[in-house]
Amino acid sequence: MEEHTEARKKSGDTKQHFVDALLTLKGNGGHRTIDHVIEAFETLQDMITAGMDTTAISSEWAMAEIIKHPRVQQKLHEEMDRVIGFERVMIESDFSSLHYLQCVVKESLRLHPPTPLMLPHRSNANVKISGYDVPKGSNVHVNVWAVARDPAVWKDPLEFRPERFMEEDVDMKGHDFRLLPFGAGRRVCPGAQLGINLVTSMLGHLLHHFQWSPPEGVKPEEIDMSENPGLVTYMRTPVMATATPRLPSHLYKRVAAEM
Ligand code: HEM
């Protein structure tokens, strides 16, 4: 924040960064106060704590599923070669044409929601839900992990089959209670779309650039998918893989982002 404040003082203008947007916020009287700086700082802190592990874990689970299912990886490569080709890297506007990639992200978030019990909620009134009494003041955990694995809700729930979302487009941002990796309602994840884009971007680049296989001597079906349960569910055994480049070498050069 200090760097951005200094840069703004020097140049007088702002770049379109999230921090700059926060720094331009003013109070009712049109002035920025120390409260605004604290609020901006806390917003950034929230974004980092809530947005980093969740997206990293979701990407790791998805990569594990992709490596475990060579058929899925092959379909992803076919789609990417058709939509992006071999002359350039993926850009955000490609996402809307990468339907299968979107389904892979969704299927992975169905089976591996990084926060399986969402965040704890507290009921602020006595309510009755599906015949159950929930007294005022109860802590309520919604087990979205269990819903996603319930055979009464999903056909072959334990199977990793992204095609299910080609057959039926299911919302995952809080409108369809069968699939709630981001929660629902008033406290739904405010970073849902950013989270989806980040995971799609990470998987898209990793898959477009490389062919992935398990480490030598390990068969795809032997990849350990057991969980390390907690508020956030990590893979018990971090995924290990071998990457083989599949694009021309000039596309692997790192281009520094302009700050
Ligand atoms: C794949 C990525 C992500 C997943 C699966 C995820 C999931 C969730 C879930 C389940 C909740 C609780 C919702 C509820 O209890 O109803 C939540 C809350 C929250 N998430 Fe995310 N999230 C992700 C990424 C992000 C990102 C990228 C950000 C911000 C940059 C973010 C910011 C937040 C914040 C601030 C809350 C608390 C909202 C509140 O209490 O009102 N999340 N997230």
Side-chain angles (χ1 to χ4, degrees):
M1 280 177 69
E2 273 169 24
E3 273 173 31
H4 283 263
T5 309
E6 278 309 306
R8 279 155 54 83
K9 268 189 205 150
K10 271 192 205 138
S11 70
D13 73 6
T14 61
K15 295 227 163 117
Q16 294 302 307
H17 291 169
F18 187 70
V19 176
D20 295 302
L22 288 176
L23 290 172
T24 56
L25 295 177
K26 293 192 174 78
N28 287 341
H31 302 293
R32 267 183 67 214
T33 64
I34 186 69
D35 286 348
H36 290 98
V37 177
I38 293 171
E39 210 171 298
F41 180 75
E42 285 174 348
T43 303
L44 288 171
Q45 225 175 12
D46 272 357
M47 285 181 65
I48 290 166
T49 31
M52 267 173 63
D53 270 13
T54 43
T55 43
I57 291 167
S58 304
S59 306
E60 188 181 13
W61 279 112
M63 282 305 290
E65 289 287 8
I66 291 165
I67 299 164
K68 202 176 170 71
H69 296 90
R71 177 192 74 80
V72 171
Q73 180 165 186
Q74 193 187 335
K75 276 184 87 168
L76 281 168
H77 280 149
E78 280 165 13
E79 181 178 72
M80 289 178 166
D81 297 348
R82 183 168 39 78
V83 174
I84 310 165
F86 294 87
E87 300 296 322
R88 65 178 180 87
V89 298
M90 183 185 74
I91 51 175
E92 201 176 327
S93 56
D94 290 320
F95 291 0
S96 57
S97 310
L98 295 167
H99 302 295
Y100 193 65
L101 175 61
Q102 287 179 39
C103 294
V104 168
V105 172
K106 208 178 254 192
E107 177 70 335
S108 190
L109 283 167
R110 180 184 71 84
L111 277 175
H112 310 289
T115 47
L117 301 178
M118 307 198 322
L119 293 182
H121 290 238
R122 178 164 297 164
S123 69
N124 55 12
N126 293 323
V127 283
K128 207 178 191 67
I129 301 176
S130 303
Y132 292 93
D133 288 317
V134 182
K136 180 178 175 177
S138 311
N139 283 337
V140 179
H141 296 267
V142 180
N143 193 338
V144 295
W145 180 94
V147 175
R149 286 162 187 255
D150 184 348
V153 179
W154 295 98
K155 186 167 177 281
D156 303 322
L158 300 186
E159 199 185 322
F160 183 79
R161 201 176 66 84
E163 288 76 5
R164 69 175 83 237
F165 295 116
M166 295 214 152
E167 291 149 18
E168 186 190 3
D169 186 18
V170 180
D171 172 87
M172 66 163 157
K173 287 192 284 183
H175 303 290
D176 190 320
F177 287 3
R178 289 175 294 171
L179 186 62
L180 292 174
F182 298 100
R186 211 179 275 179
R187 304 305 292 264
V188 68
C189 172
Q193 193 54 56
L194 177 62
I196 295 169
N197 283 2
L198 287 172
V199 176
T200 308
S201 175
M202 275 190 264
L203 293 187
H205 284 297
L206 288 173
L207 265 300
H208 186 223
H209 281 73
F210 299 100
Q211 168 80 38
W212 295 88
S213 42
E216 225 180 303
V218 179
K219 294 196 187 102
E221 61 275 20
E222 288 169 356
I223 293 174
D224 181 10
M225 300 299 274
S226 52
E227 300 169 330
N228 205 352
L231 183 66
V232 176
T233 300
Y234 296 84
M235 291 189 76
R236 183 171 294 165
T237 314
V239 70
M240 302 273 283
T242 306
T244 310
R246 56 191 302 281
L247 297 180
S249 58
H250 69 274
L251 292 182
Y252 292 83
K253 294 221 167 67
R254 186 168 170 269
V255 183
E258 198 227 329
M259 288 300 284

mmCIF file of all heavy atoms in Angstrom, residues 46-47 50-51 54-55 58 109 114-115 118-119 121 181-184 186-191 194-195 198-199, ligand 1:
data_model
loop_
_atom_site.group_PDB
_atom_site.id
_atom_site.type_symbol
_atom_site.label_atom_id
_atom_site.label_comp_id
_atom_site.label_asym_id
_atom_site.label_seq_id
_atom_site.Cartn_x
_atom_site.Cartn_y
_atom_site.Cartn_z
ATOM 1 N N ASP A 46 -8.092 -9.954 4.248
ATOM 2 C CA ASP A 46 -9.169 -10.935 4.047
ATOM 3 C C ASP A 46 -8.982 -11.660 2.727
ATOM 4 O O ASP A 46 -9.131 -12.880 2.631
ATOM 5 C CB ASP A 46 -10.528 -10.224 3.970
ATOM 6 C CG ASP A 46 -11.139 -10.040 5.337
ATOM 7 O OD1 ASP A 46 -10.540 -10.515 6.309
ATOM 8 O OD2 ASP A 46 -12.209 -9.401 5.425
ATOM 9 N N MET A 47 -8.684 -10.889 1.677
ATOM 10 C CA MET A 47 -8.548 -11.490 0.351
ATOM 11 C C MET A 47 -7.406 -12.487 0.330
ATOM 12 O O MET A 47 -7.501 -13.553 -0.275
ATOM 13 C CB MET A 47 -8.294 -10.415 -0.702
ATOM 14 C CG MET A 47 -9.533 -9.639 -1.037
ATOM 15 S SD MET A 47 -9.193 -8.414 -2.272
ATOM 16 C CE MET A 47 -8.771 -9.423 -3.672
ATOM 17 N N ALA A 50 -8.397 -15.581 2.658
ATOM 18 C CA ALA A 50 -9.511 -16.390 2.136
ATOM 19 C C ALA A 50 -9.251 -16.861 0.708
ATOM 20 O O ALA A 50 -9.854 -17.831 0.266
ATOM 21 C CB ALA A 50 -10.806 -15.579 2.181
ATOM 22 N N GLY A 51 -8.369 -16.170 -0.013
ATOM 23 C CA GLY A 51 -8.256 -16.454 -1.443
ATOM 24 C C GLY A 51 -7.034 -17.245 -1.860
ATOM 25 O O GLY A 51 -6.982 -17.749 -2.975
ATOM 26 N N THR A 54 -7.309 -21.502 -0.687
ATOM 27 C CA THR A 54 -8.460 -22.100 -1.374
ATOM 28 C C THR A 54 -8.154 -22.333 -2.857
ATOM 29 O O THR A 54 -8.396 -23.431 -3.373
ATOM 30 C CB THR A 54 -9.693 -21.185 -1.250
ATOM 31 O OG1 THR A 54 -9.277 -19.843 -1.481
ATOM 32 C CG2 THR A 54 -10.360 -21.304 0.085
ATOM 33 N N THR A 55 -7.593 -21.330 -3.523
ATOM 34 C CA THR A 55 -7.339 -21.488 -4.967
ATOM 35 C C THR A 55 -6.172 -22.451 -5.212
ATOM 36 O O THR A 55 -6.223 -23.266 -6.140
ATOM 37 C CB THR A 55 -7.058 -20.131 -5.645
ATOM 38 O OG1 THR A 55 -6.199 -19.377 -4.824
ATOM 39 C CG2 THR A 55 -8.299 -19.347 -5.863
ATOM 40 N N SER A 58 -7.462 -26.002 -4.562
ATOM 41 C CA SER A 58 -8.382 -26.434 -5.629
ATOM 42 C C SER A 58 -7.587 -26.810 -6.875
ATOM 43 O O SER A 58 -7.916 -27.786 -7.560
ATOM 44 C CB SER A 58 -9.364 -25.318 -5.990
ATOM 45 O OG SER A 58 -10.054 -24.906 -4.853
ATOM 46 N N LEU A 109 -14.152 -29.074 -8.147
ATOM 47 C CA LEU A 109 -14.682 -28.364 -6.970
ATOM 48 C C LEU A 109 -15.859 -29.121 -6.351
ATOM 49 O O LEU A 109 -16.142 -28.990 -5.175
ATOM 50 C CB LEU A 109 -15.095 -26.943 -7.346
ATOM 51 C CG LEU A 109 -13.927 -25.962 -7.507
ATOM 52 C CD1 LEU A 109 -14.391 -24.668 -8.176
ATOM 53 C CD2 LEU A 109 -13.301 -25.643 -6.162
ATOM 54 N N PRO A 114 -12.556 -26.999 -1.235
ATOM 55 C CA PRO A 114 -11.452 -26.814 -0.280
ATOM 56 C C PRO A 114 -11.926 -26.525 1.135
ATOM 57 O O PRO A 114 -11.227 -26.819 2.091
ATOM 58 C CB PRO A 114 -10.665 -25.640 -0.859
ATOM 59 C CG PRO A 114 -11.556 -24.994 -1.847
ATOM 60 C CD PRO A 114 -12.517 -26.016 -2.328
ATOM 61 N N THR A 115 -13.151 -25.956 1.284
ATOM 62 C CA THR A 115 -13.710 -25.771 2.634
ATOM 63 C C THR A 115 -14.973 -26.637 2.720
ATOM 64 O O THR A 115 -16.082 -26.168 2.458
ATOM 65 C CB THR A 115 -14.073 -24.287 2.892
ATOM 66 O OG1 THR A 115 -14.798 -23.790 1.767
ATOM 67 C CG2 THR A 115 -12.851 -23.435 3.085
ATOM 68 N N MET A 118 -17.907 -25.361 4.585
ATOM 69 C CA MET A 118 -17.983 -23.896 4.359
ATOM 70 C C MET A 118 -17.355 -23.197 5.575
ATOM 71 O O MET A 118 -16.416 -23.704 6.162
ATOM 72 C CB MET A 118 -19.417 -23.434 4.130
ATOM 73 C CG MET A 118 -20.117 -24.217 3.035
ATOM 74 S SD MET A 118 -21.579 -23.480 2.341
ATOM 75 C CE MET A 118 -22.437 -22.724 3.636
ATOM 76 N N LEU A 119 -17.873 -22.045 5.954
ATOM 77 C CA LEU A 119 -17.430 -21.417 7.208
ATOM 78 C C LEU A 119 -18.580 -21.571 8.195
ATOM 79 O O LEU A 119 -19.735 -21.649 7.777
ATOM 80 C CB LEU A 119 -17.122 -19.931 6.977
ATOM 81 C CG LEU A 119 -15.917 -19.620 6.082
ATOM 82 C CD1 LEU A 119 -15.698 -18.121 5.985
ATOM 83 C CD2 LEU A 119 -14.653 -20.301 6.594
ATOM 84 N N HIS A 121 -21.667 -20.894 10.468
ATOM 85 C CA HIS A 121 -22.705 -19.849 10.527
ATOM 86 C C HIS A 121 -23.388 -19.950 11.887
ATOM 87 O O HIS A 121 -23.347 -20.994 12.522
ATOM 88 C CB HIS A 121 -23.741 -20.055 9.418
ATOM 89 C CG HIS A 121 -23.223 -19.768 8.057
ATOM 90 N ND1 HIS A 121 -23.782 -18.834 7.219
ATOM 91 C CD2 HIS A 121 -22.169 -20.276 7.370
ATOM 92 C CE1 HIS A 121 -23.103 -18.792 6.096
ATOM 93 N NE2 HIS A 121 -22.125 -19.665 6.152
ATOM 94 N N PRO A 181 -19.539 -25.160 -3.578
ATOM 95 C CA PRO A 181 -18.155 -24.982 -3.102
ATOM 96 C C PRO A 181 -17.892 -23.570 -2.575
ATOM 97 O O PRO A 181 -16.951 -23.361 -1.819
ATOM 98 C CB PRO A 181 -17.303 -25.266 -4.340
ATOM 99 C CG PRO A 181 -18.203 -25.057 -5.502
ATOM 100 C CD PRO A 181 -19.585 -25.406 -5.035
ATOM 101 N N PHE A 182 -18.735 -22.601 -2.963
ATOM 102 C CA PHE A 182 -18.523 -21.215 -2.524
ATOM 103 C C PHE A 182 -19.581 -20.776 -1.511
ATOM 104 O O PHE A 182 -19.702 -19.594 -1.201
ATOM 105 C CB PHE A 182 -18.554 -20.266 -3.738
ATOM 106 C CG PHE A 182 -17.466 -20.558 -4.733
ATOM 107 C CD1 PHE A 182 -17.716 -21.290 -5.883
ATOM 108 C CD2 PHE A 182 -16.174 -20.108 -4.505
ATOM 109 C CE1 PHE A 182 -16.701 -21.574 -6.792
ATOM 110 C CE2 PHE A 182 -15.156 -20.385 -5.397
ATOM 111 C CZ PHE A 182 -15.422 -21.123 -6.547
ATOM 112 N N GLY A 183 -20.379 -21.722 -1.004
ATOM 113 C CA GLY A 183 -21.444 -21.362 -0.077
ATOM 114 C C GLY A 183 -22.619 -20.760 -0.829
ATOM 115 O O GLY A 183 -22.728 -20.871 -2.064
ATOM 116 N N ALA A 184 -23.519 -20.123 -0.076
ATOM 117 C CA ALA A 184 -24.716 -19.532 -0.680
ATOM 118 C C ALA A 184 -25.246 -18.452 0.235
ATOM 119 O O ALA A 184 -24.873 -18.376 1.408
ATOM 120 C CB ALA A 184 -25.795 -20.617 -0.883
ATOM 121 N N ARG A 186 -26.332 -14.755 1.914
ATOM 122 C CA ARG A 186 -25.748 -13.463 2.263
ATOM 123 C C ARG A 186 -24.233 -13.524 2.461
ATOM 124 O O ARG A 186 -23.522 -12.588 2.194
ATOM 125 C CB ARG A 186 -26.408 -13.003 3.565
ATOM 126 C CG ARG A 186 -26.523 -11.514 3.670
ATOM 127 C CD ARG A 186 -27.205 -11.158 4.946
ATOM 128 N NE ARG A 186 -28.656 -11.205 4.806
ATOM 129 C CZ ARG A 186 -29.485 -10.950 5.801
ATOM 130 N NH1 ARG A 186 -29.012 -10.663 7.004
ATOM 131 N NH2 ARG A 186 -30.771 -10.986 5.617
ATOM 132 N N ARG A 187 -23.732 -14.652 2.987
ATOM 133 C CA ARG A 187 -22.294 -14.757 3.259
ATOM 134 C C ARG A 187 -21.584 -15.608 2.203
ATOM 135 O O ARG A 187 -20.507 -16.152 2.466
ATOM 136 C CB ARG A 187 -22.052 -15.339 4.655
ATOM 137 C CG ARG A 187 -22.711 -14.594 5.780
ATOM 138 C CD ARG A 187 -22.334 -13.128 5.805
ATOM 139 N NE ARG A 187 -20.951 -12.889 6.138
ATOM 140 C CZ ARG A 187 -20.485 -12.603 7.348
ATOM 141 N NH1 ARG A 187 -21.316 -12.554 8.352
ATOM 142 N NH2 ARG A 187 -19.221 -12.372 7.546
ATOM 143 N N VAL A 188 -22.165 -15.707 1.022
ATOM 144 C CA VAL A 188 -21.521 -16.466 -0.060
ATOM 145 C C VAL A 188 -20.135 -15.876 -0.328
ATOM 146 O O VAL A 188 -19.900 -14.689 -0.064
ATOM 147 C CB VAL A 188 -22.413 -16.411 -1.336
ATOM 148 C CG1 VAL A 188 -22.459 -15.013 -1.926
ATOM 149 C CG2 VAL A 188 -21.963 -17.409 -2.398
ATOM 150 N N CYS A 189 -19.230 -16.689 -0.844
ATOM 151 C CA CYS A 189 -17.862 -16.217 -1.085
ATOM 152 C C CYS A 189 -17.874 -15.041 -2.066
ATOM 153 O O CYS A 189 -18.307 -15.179 -3.207
ATOM 154 C CB CYS A 189 -17.034 -17.359 -1.677
ATOM 155 S SG CYS A 189 -15.407 -16.830 -2.220
ATOM 156 N N PRO A 190 -17.375 -13.871 -1.638
ATOM 157 C CA PRO A 190 -17.371 -12.732 -2.559
ATOM 158 C C PRO A 190 -16.289 -12.858 -3.633
ATOM 159 O O PRO A 190 -16.294 -12.120 -4.613
ATOM 160 C CB PRO A 190 -17.090 -11.531 -1.640
ATOM 161 C CG PRO A 190 -16.391 -12.103 -0.455
ATOM 162 C CD PRO A 190 -16.860 -13.525 -0.304
ATOM 163 N N GLY A 191 -15.362 -13.826 -3.438
ATOM 164 C CA GLY A 191 -14.281 -13.990 -4.418
ATOM 165 C C GLY A 191 -14.540 -15.153 -5.356
ATOM 166 O O GLY A 191 -13.614 -15.617 -6.021
ATOM 167 N N LEU A 194 -13.491 -14.685 -9.010
ATOM 168 C CA LEU A 194 -12.029 -14.568 -9.066
ATOM 169 C C LEU A 194 -11.395 -15.943 -8.837
ATOM 170 O O LEU A 194 -10.474 -16.348 -9.554
ATOM 171 C CB LEU A 194 -11.544 -13.561 -8.014
ATOM 172 C CG LEU A 194 -10.031 -13.377 -7.907
ATOM 173 C CD1 LEU A 194 -9.449 -12.844 -9.214
ATOM 174 C CD2 LEU A 194 -9.682 -12.425 -6.758
ATOM 175 N N GLY A 195 -11.933 -16.684 -7.836
ATOM 176 C CA GLY A 195 -11.411 -18.020 -7.542
ATOM 177 C C GLY A 195 -11.539 -18.938 -8.752
ATOM 178 O O GLY A 195 -10.587 -19.628 -9.126
ATOM 179 N N LEU A 198 -9.029 -17.878 -11.372
ATOM 180 C CA LEU A 198 -7.638 -18.205 -11.021
ATOM 181 C C LEU A 198 -7.365 -19.691 -11.235
ATOM 182 O O LEU A 198 -6.347 -20.065 -11.811
ATOM 183 C CB LEU A 198 -7.355 -17.832 -9.557
ATOM 184 C CG LEU A 198 -7.240 -16.334 -9.256
ATOM 185 C CD1 LEU A 198 -7.167 -16.088 -7.752
ATOM 186 C CD2 LEU A 198 -6.027 -15.730 -9.938
ATOM 187 N N VAL A 199 -8.301 -20.544 -10.791
ATOM 188 C CA VAL A 199 -8.090 -21.992 -10.963
ATOM 189 C C VAL A 199 -8.098 -22.342 -12.456
ATOM 190 O O VAL A 199 -7.243 -23.086 -12.946
ATOM 191 C CB VAL A 199 -9.168 -22.806 -10.191
ATOM 192 C CG1 VAL A 199 -9.008 -24.298 -10.438
ATOM 193 C CG2 VAL A 199 -9.085 -22.518 -8.693
HETATM 194 C C1 HEM B 1 -11.600 -21.808 -5.370
HETATM 195 C C2 HEM B 1 -11.530 -20.749 -4.622
HETATM 196 C C3 HEM B 1 -12.430 -20.429 -3.446
HETATM 197 C C4 HEM B 1 -13.341 -21.218 -2.785
HETATM 198 C C5 HEM B 1 -13.729 -22.661 -3.073
HETATM 199 C C6 HEM B 1 -13.946 -20.378 -1.748
HETATM 200 C C7 HEM B 1 -14.927 -20.815 -0.870
HETATM 201 C C8 HEM B 1 -15.496 -20.015 0.126
HETATM 202 C C9 HEM B 1 -16.533 -20.458 1.042
HETATM 203 C C10 HEM B 1 -17.181 -21.838 1.061
HETATM 204 C C11 HEM B 1 -16.822 -19.421 1.861
HETATM 205 C C12 HEM B 1 -17.861 -19.413 2.990
HETATM 206 C C13 HEM B 1 -19.250 -19.159 2.419
HETATM 207 C C14 HEM B 1 -20.334 -19.408 3.421
HETATM 208 O O1 HEM B 1 -20.048 -19.736 4.572
HETATM 209 O O2 HEM B 1 -21.503 -19.284 3.058
HETATM 210 C C15 HEM B 1 -15.964 -18.315 1.488
HETATM 211 C C16 HEM B 1 -15.950 -17.091 2.101
HETATM 212 C C17 HEM B 1 -15.119 -16.044 1.741
HETATM 213 N N1 HEM B 1 -14.263 -16.007 0.650
HETATM 214 FE FE1 HEM B 1 -13.905 -17.512 -0.632
HETATM 215 N N2 HEM B 1 -13.388 -19.135 -1.807
HETATM 216 C C18 HEM B 1 -12.464 -19.111 -2.830
HETATM 217 C C19 HEM B 1 -11.710 -18.046 -3.257
HETATM 218 C C20 HEM B 1 -11.752 -16.772 -2.709
HETATM 219 C C21 HEM B 1 -11.031 -15.623 -3.196
HETATM 220 C C22 HEM B 1 -10.126 -15.636 -4.438
HETATM 221 C C23 HEM B 1 -11.324 -14.582 -2.357
HETATM 222 C C24 HEM B 1 -10.875 -13.144 -2.400
HETATM 223 C C25 HEM B 1 -9.895 -12.690 -3.116
HETATM 224 C C26 HEM B 1 -12.237 -15.075 -1.352
HETATM 225 C C27 HEM B 1 -12.746 -14.324 -0.320
HETATM 226 C C28 HEM B 1 -13.650 -14.772 0.622
HETATM 227 C C29 HEM B 1 -14.118 -13.972 1.753
HETATM 228 C C30 HEM B 1 -13.672 -12.534 2.096
HETATM 229 C C31 HEM B 1 -15.047 -14.768 2.447
HETATM 230 C C32 HEM B 1 -15.853 -14.394 3.709
HETATM 231 C C33 HEM B 1 -17.196 -13.801 3.287
HETATM 232 C C34 HEM B 1 -18.111 -13.464 4.460
HETATM 233 O O3 HEM B 1 -17.922 -14.002 5.540
HETATM 234 O O4 HEM B 1 -19.032 -12.672 4.266
HETATM 235 N N3 HEM B 1 -12.484 -16.404 -1.599
HETATM 236 N N4 HEM B 1 -15.177 -18.697 0.415
#
